[in-house]
Structure formats: C-alpha cells, structure tokens
Amino acid sequence: VALADRLADSHRGYFVPPRPEKTLVSTSDELFVQHRATQLESYLARLAAHPVLRHSAELCVFLTAPDLEASAEWAGFRTRRVASGGVAAMSASVAGGSEHVGGSFPGGSFQRGSGSGGGGGDTASSGSGANGGGRNLGRFFKELRQTVVTSTAVASVGGALGIETPKPRVAEEDTAFITEKDRVLRLEQELAITSQKAERLLVQEEKYGDALGELGLECMKLSKLEEEEAGRMGSYSEAGAGCQQMASQARKMGNATVRISRLTRSATTQLAQQLDPLHDYLGMMPAVRKAVSDRAETLLTLQTLLADADAKHARITKLETDISKMKKVDELKRELAEAAATAEGARVEYQNIQSRHREEFRRLEESRAREFKQMWLGFARTQVSHAERALSVWRAAAEELGASPDEWKDTSPGGALGSERTSS
C-alpha cells in the first residue's frame, strides 16, 4: 500500500500499475497466501517492466531495504494528502495567505494532494496550523469558481444574456490527447464486455468438462452392472455374452469420456491463462483514469492561479491611481510575484504531464497490440491442441466400437463421413 501511494505521489501523469486489492479472506489459508504472493509478484513485475518506474527510488528502497520501518530513506518519501480530498495544492496566497502549500516555487516540482495519494515526496506541510483549514477551504472555493467560469453551459447562458464570461488563459487543446483518451475509454467498455463473454465461455467449458466426467463415471457404473448381469446369466450363455459385450462398450465409452473430461478441464485452465493480458489491460484502466484526472486537476489549478494573478494585476492597476493606496499596491505586487512563480511551477508540471501522457498512451497501445496478438494466438493454439487430442480419443473409441479407419480419410461433403452426416 505504501509503495503504491508513494509512486502515485512522485510519478503523477504516469500510468502507475494499481496494487492488488486486499481481501477479507483469512490470511492463514495456505491457498490464499499462495494466491496473494502470486498477485504481489505479478504487481512488482509490472512495476519493474515500466521504463520509468523501474528506476524510481521508492521501488529501489522497497526492494533492497532490510527493514522498511527502520529505513530513514523510506520515511523520507512522505505521502501528503490535502484535507479537502483532491483539491489542488497551490500557493496559499491564492487563498489569502503567504505560505506555499503542497510544494514551493520556483526551485521545486509542482506537487499537489489528492484523495488517492497525490502529493510529492518533498511536499511541504499542507494547511497545518490554525489557518490550515481556512486555506484549504479557500482553495476549494476558488477552484470551484474557476470550474463554473470555464463551464460550457455557463458560457452559453452568458452569451445568450449578452454577458461576457472570461475565458481561461490556458485550456486543454491537445486534440490528440482528447481523441486517444476517448478511444481508450470506449475500448475499455468493449473489452469489459469481451471479458464477461470470455468468462461465460470458460464457465460453460468447465461445466461441459464436469458433465463429461459425470457421464464417464456413469458409463463405468453401467459397465460394472452389465458385468454383474453377465455373471448372473452365465458368461457362456448368449444373454451373458451380450451383457459382456455391452459392458465392454460402456467401459470403452466411459474411459474415452473421462479422458475427454480431463482434457477439457486442462484446456479450460490454459484458456483462462491465455486471457490474462485482457484482464491485465482492464486492470490498468484505474491507473489511466487516475493519470487523466491528475492532468485535469493540474490544468484547473493552473487556470485558477492565472486567474488569481490576473485579478491581482487588475486590482493593482486600479489602485495605482490612488497615491494613498501605495502600501497596498506594494503588498499586492509581492503577492502577484508569488502567484506568478507558483503559476509557472504549475505550468511546468502540466507540461510534464502532457509529455508523460504522450509517451504513456503510446506505450500502452504498443503493449496491448503485442500482448493481445500473443493472447489470441495462444487461445487459438490451445483450442487446436485440445481439438486434436479430443479427436484422437474419440476416433480411437469409435474404432474400438466398430468404426472403420477409412471413415476418417475423406471428410468432404461427398465423402463417406460427409455423406453420413448429410443423411443423418
């Protein structure tokens, strides 16, 4: 949990693989412990496969520190969350203070808190002290106002009433990102349906295998009953010989059916394993949505900071004409300089996330194309292998029951087997 939170804090904009969810199952169960260990191993493997996360200090310390609780370096990766839960960390000057909240600018990377673990490892104390709650509340209302101002609906109503609504100085204009984001989200919906259908198929295959096994056991019971009946009638009597023959037939069918049942169960297990890339891709979608949300929140913070700077500049321009307000003007100029520096830090962070998203979406699609090709190929190969093995078992059983091997030589519509199928 701590590793996932720290990586999400320090690598905003990257698609950080989500950690395996906890469960309420008793941890003393051996199968549960083995399954959980497999999940965690797979999670660490995904982190190690990421071109950036694999070099992160957090992952390195997590894997090498003998005792995380006693590790000073691990303790240094502080996870900070803003009390308002998801409100962007920005300069306290925006909310009426002079301290910087959630990081300092310039000289440090722009950080912000979120309810899911946003905030950097070097994030300063956010809203602590007597006025902390007020500053968080101030940030909330300023960003809420900025959201309303930039709303399309509000702009439409304002235009209809002849009221000009201020447009933000920066907006999401990356059409490639918007298109890719929408495509991935639509793809997620289709793949979720595909996953459900695949699960349904596997359930049916499992039931089919179980039904074959039950049929095979019943055939074996029938064979034993026929043998007992043959013994009662006499093995050398005509009726007894007939019972012996039917017992042999039932036994052969039972053996073949049990074998097919085992093959079906094995194939079902392999098919489930082949579909792992599909479930892994769907499992990455919360990380994609988190990264997209981080981008939107960072943009909102930048818009709010720039709007606040514009408001301060307009107020300075208005007060400069009154010589009695020079002290207030000087104070506003200092605040404006701080707001401009904070906005520049937010702009850099937003640009970093933009760059990361371009690379992450490209990497995600390349990985999906490569892994899905292997997934479908493996799925088809498993089906072919199972069909060939089942065919071999059924052919052997049919020949033991009296079929001629020549029947399998020509399966065309005009052949012997094809004609038999057509006539039936």
mmCIF file of all heavy atoms in Angstrom, residues 266-316:
data_model
loop_
_atom_site.group_PDB
_atom_site.id
_atom_site.type_symbol
_atom_site.label_atom_id
_atom_site.label_comp_id
_atom_site.label_asym_id
_atom_site.label_seq_id
_atom_site.Cartn_x
_atom_site.Cartn_y
_atom_site.Cartn_z
ATOM 1 N N SER A 266 -8.198 -29.330 -18.535
ATOM 2 C CA SER A 266 -6.850 -28.799 -18.757
ATOM 3 C C SER A 266 -6.869 -27.658 -19.768
ATOM 4 O O SER A 266 -6.218 -26.628 -19.572
ATOM 5 C CB SER A 266 -5.934 -29.929 -19.239
ATOM 6 O OG SER A 266 -4.651 -29.431 -19.562
ATOM 7 N N ALA A 267 -7.624 -27.837 -20.844
ATOM 8 C CA ALA A 267 -7.719 -26.789 -21.869
ATOM 9 C C ALA A 267 -8.378 -25.537 -21.306
ATOM 10 O O ALA A 267 -7.968 -24.402 -21.622
ATOM 11 C CB ALA A 267 -8.504 -27.301 -23.071
ATOM 12 N N THR A 268 -9.387 -25.708 -20.460
ATOM 13 C CA THR A 268 -10.065 -24.554 -19.857
ATOM 14 C C THR A 268 -9.103 -23.752 -18.993
ATOM 15 O O THR A 268 -9.098 -22.516 -19.020
ATOM 16 C CB THR A 268 -11.262 -25.028 -19.020
ATOM 17 O OG1 THR A 268 -12.168 -25.767 -19.852
ATOM 18 C CG2 THR A 268 -11.996 -23.842 -18.412
ATOM 19 N N THR A 269 -8.273 -24.460 -18.223
ATOM 20 C CA THR A 269 -7.267 -23.776 -17.402
ATOM 21 C C THR A 269 -6.293 -23.006 -18.268
ATOM 22 O O THR A 269 -5.939 -21.853 -17.975
ATOM 23 C CB THR A 269 -6.514 -24.798 -16.537
ATOM 24 O OG1 THR A 269 -7.433 -25.492 -15.700
ATOM 25 C CG2 THR A 269 -5.463 -24.099 -15.674
ATOM 26 N N GLN A 270 -5.848 -23.624 -19.370
ATOM 27 C CA GLN A 270 -4.914 -22.950 -20.275
ATOM 28 C C GLN A 270 -5.562 -21.746 -20.945
ATOM 29 O O GLN A 270 -4.922 -20.698 -21.117
ATOM 30 C CB GLN A 270 -4.425 -23.934 -21.337
ATOM 31 C CG GLN A 270 -3.579 -25.073 -20.780
ATOM 32 C CD GLN A 270 -3.176 -26.060 -21.851
ATOM 33 O OE1 GLN A 270 -2.864 -25.687 -22.978
ATOM 34 N NE2 GLN A 270 -3.188 -27.339 -21.515
ATOM 35 N N LEU A 271 -6.838 -21.874 -21.327
ATOM 36 C CA LEU A 271 -7.535 -20.752 -21.958
ATOM 37 C C LEU A 271 -7.655 -19.576 -20.991
ATOM 38 O O LEU A 271 -7.504 -18.417 -21.388
ATOM 39 C CB LEU A 271 -8.923 -21.193 -22.416
ATOM 40 C CG LEU A 271 -8.975 -22.164 -23.600
ATOM 41 C CD1 LEU A 271 -10.406 -22.625 -23.856
ATOM 42 C CD2 LEU A 271 -8.398 -21.535 -24.860
ATOM 43 N N ALA A 272 -7.928 -19.884 -19.728
ATOM 44 C CA ALA A 272 -8.015 -18.819 -18.725
ATOM 45 C C ALA A 272 -6.682 -18.102 -18.587
ATOM 46 O O ALA A 272 -6.634 -16.865 -18.468
ATOM 47 C CB ALA A 272 -8.454 -19.406 -17.386
ATOM 48 N N GLN A 273 -5.590 -18.852 -18.629
ATOM 49 C CA GLN A 273 -4.264 -18.246 -18.535
ATOM 50 C C GLN A 273 -3.950 -17.416 -19.778
ATOM 51 O O GLN A 273 -3.327 -16.351 -19.678
ATOM 52 C CB GLN A 273 -3.216 -19.329 -18.342
ATOM 53 C CG GLN A 273 -3.319 -20.061 -17.009
ATOM 54 C CD GLN A 273 -2.385 -21.241 -16.912
ATOM 55 O OE1 GLN A 273 -1.808 -21.686 -17.918
ATOM 56 N NE2 GLN A 273 -2.208 -21.771 -15.706
ATOM 57 N N GLN A 274 -4.403 -17.892 -20.947
ATOM 58 C CA GLN A 274 -4.152 -17.151 -22.175
ATOM 59 C C GLN A 274 -4.847 -15.795 -22.170
ATOM 60 O O GLN A 274 -4.392 -14.848 -22.819
ATOM 61 C CB GLN A 274 -4.629 -17.966 -23.395
ATOM 62 C CG GLN A 274 -3.860 -19.248 -23.650
ATOM 63 C CD GLN A 274 -2.417 -19.007 -24.047
ATOM 64 O OE1 GLN A 274 -2.039 -17.895 -24.422
ATOM 65 N NE2 GLN A 274 -1.598 -20.048 -23.955
ATOM 66 N N LEU A 275 -5.944 -15.687 -21.443
ATOM 67 C CA LEU A 275 -6.717 -14.437 -21.411
ATOM 68 C C LEU A 275 -6.208 -13.449 -20.366
ATOM 69 O O LEU A 275 -6.801 -12.387 -20.190
ATOM 70 C CB LEU A 275 -8.190 -14.747 -21.146
ATOM 71 C CG LEU A 275 -8.937 -15.468 -22.281
ATOM 72 C CD1 LEU A 275 -10.327 -15.875 -21.821
ATOM 73 C CD2 LEU A 275 -9.018 -14.594 -23.524
ATOM 74 N N ASP A 276 -5.118 -13.770 -19.697
ATOM 75 C CA ASP A 276 -4.567 -12.861 -18.676
ATOM 76 C C ASP A 276 -4.273 -11.458 -19.215
ATOM 77 O O ASP A 276 -4.544 -10.463 -18.518
ATOM 78 C CB ASP A 276 -3.302 -13.463 -18.064
ATOM 79 C CG ASP A 276 -3.629 -14.524 -17.015
ATOM 80 O OD1 ASP A 276 -4.802 -14.603 -16.597
ATOM 81 O OD2 ASP A 276 -2.717 -15.280 -16.620
ATOM 82 N N PRO A 277 -3.702 -11.307 -20.425
ATOM 83 C CA PRO A 277 -3.439 -9.941 -20.929
ATOM 84 C C PRO A 277 -4.695 -9.080 -21.009
ATOM 85 O O PRO A 277 -4.630 -7.864 -20.786
ATOM 86 C CB PRO A 277 -2.843 -10.190 -22.319
ATOM 87 C CG PRO A 277 -2.207 -11.539 -22.213
ATOM 88 C CD PRO A 277 -3.122 -12.327 -21.321
ATOM 89 N N LEU A 278 -5.828 -9.687 -21.315
ATOM 90 C CA LEU A 278 -7.086 -8.937 -21.372
ATOM 91 C C LEU A 278 -7.432 -8.378 -19.997
ATOM 92 O O LEU A 278 -7.766 -7.196 -19.846
ATOM 93 C CB LEU A 278 -8.207 -9.851 -21.874
ATOM 94 C CG LEU A 278 -9.635 -9.290 -21.829
ATOM 95 C CD1 LEU A 278 -9.746 -8.026 -22.676
ATOM 96 C CD2 LEU A 278 -10.631 -10.345 -22.284
ATOM 97 N N HIS A 279 -7.324 -9.211 -18.973
ATOM 98 C CA HIS A 279 -7.648 -8.765 -17.618
ATOM 99 C C HIS A 279 -6.589 -7.792 -17.087
ATOM 100 O O HIS A 279 -6.916 -6.861 -16.351
ATOM 101 C CB HIS A 279 -7.774 -9.976 -16.704
ATOM 102 C CG HIS A 279 -8.764 -11.000 -17.190
ATOM 103 N ND1 HIS A 279 -10.060 -10.671 -17.517
ATOM 104 C CD2 HIS A 279 -8.640 -12.328 -17.443
ATOM 105 C CE1 HIS A 279 -10.704 -11.749 -17.916
ATOM 106 N NE2 HIS A 279 -9.860 -12.773 -17.882
ATOM 107 N N ASP A 280 -5.331 -8.005 -17.476
ATOM 108 C CA ASP A 280 -4.279 -7.081 -17.052
ATOM 109 C C ASP A 280 -4.502 -5.689 -17.643
ATOM 110 O O ASP A 280 -4.291 -4.674 -16.971
ATOM 111 C CB ASP A 280 -2.907 -7.613 -17.487
ATOM 112 C CG ASP A 280 -2.489 -8.841 -16.699
ATOM 113 O OD1 ASP A 280 -3.072 -9.090 -15.632
ATOM 114 O OD2 ASP A 280 -1.581 -9.565 -17.160
ATOM 115 N N TYR A 281 -4.919 -5.644 -18.919
ATOM 116 C CA TYR A 281 -5.180 -4.351 -19.560
ATOM 117 C C TYR A 281 -6.336 -3.642 -18.862
ATOM 118 O O TYR A 281 -6.262 -2.436 -18.576
ATOM 119 C CB TYR A 281 -5.502 -4.555 -21.034
ATOM 120 C CG TYR A 281 -5.703 -3.266 -21.803
ATOM 121 C CD1 TYR A 281 -4.619 -2.590 -22.360
ATOM 122 C CD2 TYR A 281 -6.971 -2.714 -21.968
ATOM 123 C CE1 TYR A 281 -4.798 -1.396 -23.057
ATOM 124 C CE2 TYR A 281 -7.161 -1.531 -22.655
ATOM 125 C CZ TYR A 281 -6.070 -0.878 -23.202
ATOM 126 O OH TYR A 281 -6.246 0.300 -23.877
ATOM 127 N N LEU A 282 -7.409 -4.369 -18.587
ATOM 128 C CA LEU A 282 -8.542 -3.771 -17.873
ATOM 129 C C LEU A 282 -8.120 -3.334 -16.471
ATOM 130 O O LEU A 282 -8.604 -2.316 -15.958
ATOM 131 C CB LEU A 282 -9.688 -4.777 -17.789
ATOM 132 C CG LEU A 282 -10.439 -5.040 -19.096
ATOM 133 C CD1 LEU A 282 -11.442 -6.173 -18.922
ATOM 134 C CD2 LEU A 282 -11.151 -3.790 -19.576
ATOM 135 N N GLY A 283 -7.201 -4.089 -15.872
ATOM 136 C CA GLY A 283 -6.715 -3.723 -14.552
ATOM 137 C C GLY A 283 -5.914 -2.433 -14.545
ATOM 138 O O GLY A 283 -5.780 -1.784 -13.495
ATOM 139 N N MET A 284 -5.384 -2.036 -15.703
ATOM 140 C CA MET A 284 -4.626 -0.792 -15.803
ATOM 141 C C MET A 284 -5.521 0.430 -15.966
ATOM 142 O O MET A 284 -5.064 1.565 -15.812
ATOM 143 C CB MET A 284 -3.664 -0.857 -16.995
ATOM 144 C CG MET A 284 -2.377 -1.602 -16.730
ATOM 145 S SD MET A 284 -1.381 -0.825 -15.432
ATOM 146 C CE MET A 284 -1.075 0.789 -16.173
ATOM 147 N N MET A 285 -6.789 0.232 -16.262
ATOM 148 C CA MET A 285 -7.672 1.359 -16.541
ATOM 149 C C MET A 285 -7.830 2.312 -15.357
ATOM 150 O O MET A 285 -7.884 3.531 -15.556
ATOM 151 C CB MET A 285 -9.036 0.863 -17.023
ATOM 152 C CG MET A 285 -9.031 0.272 -18.427
ATOM 153 S SD MET A 285 -8.475 1.462 -19.690
ATOM 154 C CE MET A 285 -6.779 0.937 -19.923
ATOM 155 N N PRO A 286 -7.896 1.834 -14.103
ATOM 156 C CA PRO A 286 -7.937 2.804 -12.994
ATOM 157 C C PRO A 286 -6.708 3.703 -12.975
ATOM 158 O O PRO A 286 -6.816 4.894 -12.645
ATOM 159 C CB PRO A 286 -7.988 1.895 -11.756
ATOM 160 C CG PRO A 286 -8.634 0.648 -12.225
ATOM 161 C CD PRO A 286 -8.122 0.449 -13.621
ATOM 162 N N ALA A 287 -5.533 3.165 -13.336
ATOM 163 C CA ALA A 287 -4.321 3.985 -13.382
ATOM 164 C C ALA A 287 -4.410 5.021 -14.500
ATOM 165 O O ALA A 287 -3.964 6.160 -14.339
ATOM 166 C CB ALA A 287 -3.099 3.087 -13.585
ATOM 167 N N VAL A 288 -4.995 4.641 -15.637
ATOM 168 C CA VAL A 288 -5.157 5.581 -16.744
ATOM 169 C C VAL A 288 -6.110 6.699 -16.336
ATOM 170 O O VAL A 288 -5.833 7.891 -16.562
ATOM 171 C CB VAL A 288 -5.690 4.850 -17.998
ATOM 172 C CG1 VAL A 288 -5.984 5.841 -19.118
ATOM 173 C CG2 VAL A 288 -4.682 3.804 -18.468
ATOM 174 N N ARG A 289 -7.234 6.324 -15.731
ATOM 175 C CA ARG A 289 -8.190 7.356 -15.297
ATOM 176 C C ARG A 289 -7.579 8.261 -14.234
ATOM 177 O O ARG A 289 -7.843 9.467 -14.208
ATOM 178 C CB ARG A 289 -9.470 6.688 -14.780
ATOM 179 C CG ARG A 289 -10.310 6.041 -15.867
ATOM 180 C CD ARG A 289 -11.693 5.699 -15.351
ATOM 181 N NE ARG A 289 -11.636 4.657 -14.335
ATOM 182 C CZ ARG A 289 -11.693 3.361 -14.565
ATOM 183 N NH1 ARG A 289 -11.804 2.944 -15.819
ATOM 184 N NH2 ARG A 289 -11.651 2.483 -13.590
ATOM 185 N N LYS A 290 -6.779 7.681 -13.334
ATOM 186 C CA LYS A 290 -6.110 8.495 -12.310
ATOM 187 C C LYS A 290 -5.157 9.502 -12.955
ATOM 188 O O LYS A 290 -5.117 10.682 -12.570
ATOM 189 C CB LYS A 290 -5.340 7.570 -11.359
ATOM 190 C CG LYS A 290 -4.430 8.284 -10.354
ATOM 191 C CD LYS A 290 -5.213 9.104 -9.365
ATOM 192 C CE LYS A 290 -4.336 9.556 -8.197
ATOM 193 N NZ LYS A 290 -3.184 10.368 -8.607
ATOM 194 N N ALA A 291 -4.393 9.059 -13.947
ATOM 195 C CA ALA A 291 -3.452 9.955 -14.617
ATOM 196 C C ALA A 291 -4.189 11.058 -15.375
ATOM 197 O O ALA A 291 -3.771 12.225 -15.367
ATOM 198 C CB ALA A 291 -2.560 9.163 -15.569
ATOM 199 N N VAL A 292 -5.299 10.706 -16.017
ATOM 200 C CA VAL A 292 -6.108 11.701 -16.735
ATOM 201 C C VAL A 292 -6.712 12.693 -15.745
ATOM 202 O O VAL A 292 -6.766 13.902 -16.004
ATOM 203 C CB VAL A 292 -7.207 11.001 -17.554
ATOM 204 C CG1 VAL A 292 -8.194 12.026 -18.116
ATOM 205 C CG2 VAL A 292 -6.586 10.198 -18.693
ATOM 206 N N SER A 293 -7.145 12.188 -14.589
ATOM 207 C CA SER A 293 -7.693 13.068 -13.559
ATOM 208 C C SER A 293 -6.625 14.019 -13.024
ATOM 209 O O SER A 293 -6.892 15.206 -12.794
ATOM 210 C CB SER A 293 -8.269 12.225 -12.420
ATOM 211 O OG SER A 293 -8.718 13.036 -11.360
ATOM 212 N N ASP A 294 -5.403 13.498 -12.836
ATOM 213 C CA ASP A 294 -4.306 14.359 -12.390
ATOM 214 C C ASP A 294 -4.069 15.491 -13.380
ATOM 215 O O ASP A 294 -3.817 16.641 -12.990
ATOM 216 C CB ASP A 294 -3.027 13.540 -12.241
ATOM 217 C CG ASP A 294 -3.042 12.664 -10.993
ATOM 218 O OD1 ASP A 294 -3.881 12.912 -10.108
ATOM 219 O OD2 ASP A 294 -2.226 11.725 -10.918
ATOM 220 N N ARG A 295 -4.163 15.157 -14.651
ATOM 221 C CA ARG A 295 -3.949 16.183 -15.684
ATOM 222 C C ARG A 295 -5.035 17.248 -15.614
ATOM 223 O O ARG A 295 -4.737 18.456 -15.682
ATOM 224 C CB ARG A 295 -3.945 15.515 -17.064
ATOM 225 C CG ARG A 295 -3.795 16.483 -18.227
ATOM 226 C CD ARG A 295 -3.575 15.724 -19.503
ATOM 227 N NE ARG A 295 -3.442 16.590 -20.674
ATOM 228 C CZ ARG A 295 -2.802 16.252 -21.773
ATOM 229 N NH1 ARG A 295 -2.213 15.073 -21.868
ATOM 230 N NH2 ARG A 295 -2.731 17.079 -22.807
ATOM 231 N N ALA A 296 -6.283 16.835 -15.475
ATOM 232 C CA ALA A 296 -7.388 17.789 -15.403
ATOM 233 C C ALA A 296 -7.274 18.657 -14.155
ATOM 234 O O ALA A 296 -7.523 19.871 -14.201
ATOM 235 C CB ALA A 296 -8.719 17.043 -15.413
ATOM 236 N N GLU A 297 -6.887 18.049 -13.035
ATOM 237 C CA GLU A 297 -6.754 18.817 -11.804
ATOM 238 C C GLU A 297 -5.600 19.812 -11.885
ATOM 239 O O GLU A 297 -5.696 20.939 -11.390
ATOM 240 C CB GLU A 297 -6.546 17.868 -10.622
ATOM 241 C CG GLU A 297 -7.790 17.052 -10.277
ATOM 242 C CD GLU A 297 -7.518 16.033 -9.201
ATOM 243 O OE1 GLU A 297 -6.354 15.940 -8.746
ATOM 244 O OE2 GLU A 297 -8.458 15.314 -8.810
ATOM 245 N N THR A 298 -4.517 19.389 -12.502
ATOM 246 C CA THR A 298 -3.379 20.303 -12.656
ATOM 247 C C THR A 298 -3.736 21.465 -13.560
ATOM 248 O O THR A 298 -3.354 22.617 -13.309
ATOM 249 C CB THR A 298 -2.170 19.542 -13.234
ATOM 250 O OG1 THR A 298 -1.872 18.421 -12.408
ATOM 251 C CG2 THR A 298 -0.947 20.445 -13.303
ATOM 252 N N LEU A 299 -4.486 21.190 -14.632
ATOM 253 C CA LEU A 299 -4.932 22.262 -15.518
ATOM 254 C C LEU A 299 -5.851 23.219 -14.766
ATOM 255 O O LEU A 299 -5.737 24.451 -14.908
ATOM 256 C CB LEU A 299 -5.657 21.677 -16.729
ATOM 257 C CG LEU A 299 -6.279 22.699 -17.692
ATOM 258 C CD1 LEU A 299 -5.198 23.628 -18.261
ATOM 259 C CD2 LEU A 299 -7.034 21.989 -18.810
ATOM 260 N N LEU A 300 -6.759 22.690 -13.963
ATOM 261 C CA LEU A 300 -7.654 23.542 -13.182
ATOM 262 C C LEU A 300 -6.863 24.418 -12.222
ATOM 263 O O LEU A 300 -7.153 25.609 -12.053
ATOM 264 C CB LEU A 300 -8.662 22.682 -12.419
ATOM 265 C CG LEU A 300 -9.610 23.422 -11.473
ATOM 266 C CD1 LEU A 300 -10.452 24.439 -12.245
ATOM 267 C CD2 LEU A 300 -10.504 22.439 -10.731
ATOM 268 N N THR A 301 -5.854 23.825 -11.583
ATOM 269 C CA THR A 301 -5.019 24.605 -10.675
ATOM 270 C C THR A 301 -4.307 25.725 -11.422
ATOM 271 O O THR A 301 -4.253 26.869 -10.959
ATOM 272 C CB THR A 301 -3.980 23.683 -10.004
ATOM 273 O OG1 THR A 301 -4.651 22.753 -9.181
ATOM 274 C CG2 THR A 301 -3.009 24.495 -9.150
ATOM 275 N N LEU A 302 -3.754 25.409 -12.583
ATOM 276 C CA LEU A 302 -3.064 26.421 -13.388
ATOM 277 C C LEU A 302 -4.026 27.529 -13.790
ATOM 278 O O LEU A 302 -3.694 28.718 -13.711
ATOM 279 C CB LEU A 302 -2.447 25.757 -14.621
ATOM 280 C CG LEU A 302 -1.750 26.692 -15.617
ATOM 281 C CD1 LEU A 302 -0.643 27.491 -14.933
ATOM 282 C CD2 LEU A 302 -1.189 25.886 -16.792
ATOM 283 N N GLN A 303 -5.230 27.155 -14.245
ATOM 284 C CA GLN A 303 -6.217 28.166 -14.627
ATOM 285 C C GLN A 303 -6.579 29.060 -13.440
ATOM 286 O O GLN A 303 -6.703 30.284 -13.589
ATOM 287 C CB GLN A 303 -7.471 27.481 -15.165
ATOM 288 C CG GLN A 303 -7.274 26.787 -16.500
ATOM 289 C CD GLN A 303 -8.484 25.963 -16.897
ATOM 290 O OE1 GLN A 303 -9.296 25.583 -16.054
ATOM 291 N NE2 GLN A 303 -8.617 25.683 -18.184
ATOM 292 N N THR A 304 -6.729 28.450 -12.271
ATOM 293 C CA THR A 304 -7.082 29.218 -11.076
ATOM 294 C C THR A 304 -5.963 30.169 -10.679
ATOM 295 O O THR A 304 -6.204 31.331 -10.323
ATOM 296 C CB THR A 304 -7.395 28.268 -9.912
ATOM 297 O OG1 THR A 304 -8.402 27.331 -10.329
ATOM 298 C CG2 THR A 304 -7.890 29.023 -8.692
ATOM 299 N N LEU A 305 -4.729 29.684 -10.733
ATOM 300 C CA LEU A 305 -3.583 30.529 -10.402
ATOM 301 C C LEU A 305 -3.456 31.706 -11.364
ATOM 302 O O LEU A 305 -3.206 32.842 -10.955
ATOM 303 C CB LEU A 305 -2.301 29.696 -10.417
ATOM 304 C CG LEU A 305 -2.137 28.688 -9.276
ATOM 305 C CD1 LEU A 305 -1.008 27.717 -9.583
ATOM 306 C CD2 LEU A 305 -1.879 29.415 -7.963
ATOM 307 N N LEU A 306 -3.622 31.433 -12.652
ATOM 308 C CA LEU A 306 -3.522 32.507 -13.644
ATOM 309 C C LEU A 306 -4.663 33.509 -13.483
ATOM 310 O O LEU A 306 -4.457 34.729 -13.615
ATOM 311 C CB LEU A 306 -3.531 31.911 -15.054
ATOM 312 C CG LEU A 306 -2.297 31.095 -15.440
ATOM 313 C CD1 LEU A 306 -2.477 30.470 -16.816
ATOM 314 C CD2 LEU A 306 -1.042 31.957 -15.405
ATOM 315 N N ALA A 307 -5.861 33.011 -13.202
ATOM 316 C CA ALA A 307 -6.996 33.908 -12.993
ATOM 317 C C ALA A 307 -6.769 34.776 -11.762
ATOM 318 O O ALA A 307 -7.091 35.976 -11.754
ATOM 319 C CB ALA A 307 -8.281 33.090 -12.847
ATOM 320 N N ASP A 308 -6.195 34.182 -10.711
ATOM 321 C CA ASP A 308 -5.912 34.950 -9.497
ATOM 322 C C ASP A 308 -4.849 36.003 -9.768
ATOM 323 O O ASP A 308 -4.940 37.135 -9.270
ATOM 324 C CB ASP A 308 -5.453 33.993 -8.395
ATOM 325 C CG ASP A 308 -5.243 34.701 -7.071
ATOM 326 O OD1 ASP A 308 -6.248 35.053 -6.426
ATOM 327 O OD2 ASP A 308 -4.080 34.907 -6.695
ATOM 328 N N ALA A 309 -3.844 35.636 -10.570
ATOM 329 C CA ALA A 309 -2.803 36.612 -10.916
ATOM 330 C C ALA A 309 -3.385 37.756 -11.729
ATOM 331 O O ALA A 309 -3.038 38.931 -11.520
ATOM 332 C CB ALA A 309 -1.682 35.914 -11.685
ATOM 333 N N ASP A 310 -4.275 37.427 -12.656
ATOM 334 C CA ASP A 310 -4.928 38.471 -13.456
ATOM 335 C C ASP A 310 -5.759 39.398 -12.571
ATOM 336 O O ASP A 310 -5.786 40.628 -12.775
ATOM 337 C CB ASP A 310 -5.816 37.835 -14.525
ATOM 338 C CG ASP A 310 -5.005 37.152 -15.613
ATOM 339 O OD1 ASP A 310 -3.806 37.449 -15.722
ATOM 340 O OD2 ASP A 310 -5.581 36.311 -16.346
ATOM 341 N N ALA A 311 -6.450 38.807 -11.597
ATOM 342 C CA ALA A 311 -7.270 39.620 -10.701
ATOM 343 C C ALA A 311 -6.395 40.557 -9.875
ATOM 344 O O ALA A 311 -6.738 41.732 -9.668
ATOM 345 C CB ALA A 311 -8.089 38.705 -9.785
ATOM 346 N N LYS A 312 -5.259 40.059 -9.400
ATOM 347 C CA LYS A 312 -4.344 40.907 -8.631
ATOM 348 C C LYS A 312 -3.787 42.019 -9.508
ATOM 349 O O LYS A 312 -3.650 43.177 -9.068
ATOM 350 C CB LYS A 312 -3.207 40.063 -8.064
ATOM 351 C CG LYS A 312 -3.587 39.235 -6.839
ATOM 352 C CD LYS A 312 -2.389 38.499 -6.298
ATOM 353 C CE LYS A 312 -2.685 37.861 -4.929
ATOM 354 N NZ LYS A 312 -3.799 36.930 -4.957
ATOM 355 N N HIS A 313 -3.441 41.674 -10.765
ATOM 356 C CA HIS A 313 -2.896 42.697 -11.680
ATOM 357 C C HIS A 313 -3.940 43.782 -11.945
ATOM 358 O O HIS A 313 -3.617 44.990 -11.965
ATOM 359 C CB HIS A 313 -2.472 42.030 -12.985
ATOM 360 C CG HIS A 313 -1.782 42.962 -13.923
ATOM 361 N ND1 HIS A 313 -2.464 43.727 -14.855
ATOM 362 C CD2 HIS A 313 -0.462 43.284 -14.071
ATOM 363 C CE1 HIS A 313 -1.604 44.459 -15.543
ATOM 364 N NE2 HIS A 313 -0.388 44.215 -15.081
ATOM 365 N N ALA A 314 -5.189 43.368 -12.152
ATOM 366 C CA ALA A 314 -6.254 44.356 -12.394
ATOM 367 C C ALA A 314 -6.462 45.234 -11.169
ATOM 368 O O ALA A 314 -6.692 46.455 -11.283
ATOM 369 C CB ALA A 314 -7.553 43.630 -12.756
ATOM 370 N N ARG A 315 -6.361 44.638 -9.996
ATOM 371 C CA ARG A 315 -6.545 45.414 -8.777
ATOM 372 C C ARG A 315 -5.403 46.396 -8.577
ATOM 373 O O ARG A 315 -5.616 47.546 -8.145
ATOM 374 C CB ARG A 315 -6.634 44.468 -7.577
ATOM 375 C CG ARG A 315 -7.086 45.161 -6.297
ATOM 376 C CD ARG A 315 -7.217 44.180 -5.162
ATOM 377 N NE ARG A 315 -7.612 44.833 -3.933
ATOM 378 C CZ ARG A 315 -7.607 44.273 -2.738
ATOM 379 N NH1 ARG A 315 -7.210 42.999 -2.635
ATOM 380 N NH2 ARG A 315 -7.990 44.943 -1.676
ATOM 381 N N ILE A 316 -4.184 45.978 -8.917
ATOM 382 C CA ILE A 316 -3.032 46.874 -8.820
ATOM 383 C C ILE A 316 -3.217 48.059 -9.757
ATOM 384 O O ILE A 316 -2.981 49.219 -9.395
ATOM 385 C CB ILE A 316 -1.735 46.117 -9.151
ATOM 386 C CG1 ILE A 316 -1.406 45.126 -8.029
ATOM 387 C CG2 ILE A 316 -0.579 47.090 -9.352
ATOM 388 C CD1 ILE A 316 -0.240 44.212 -8.356
#
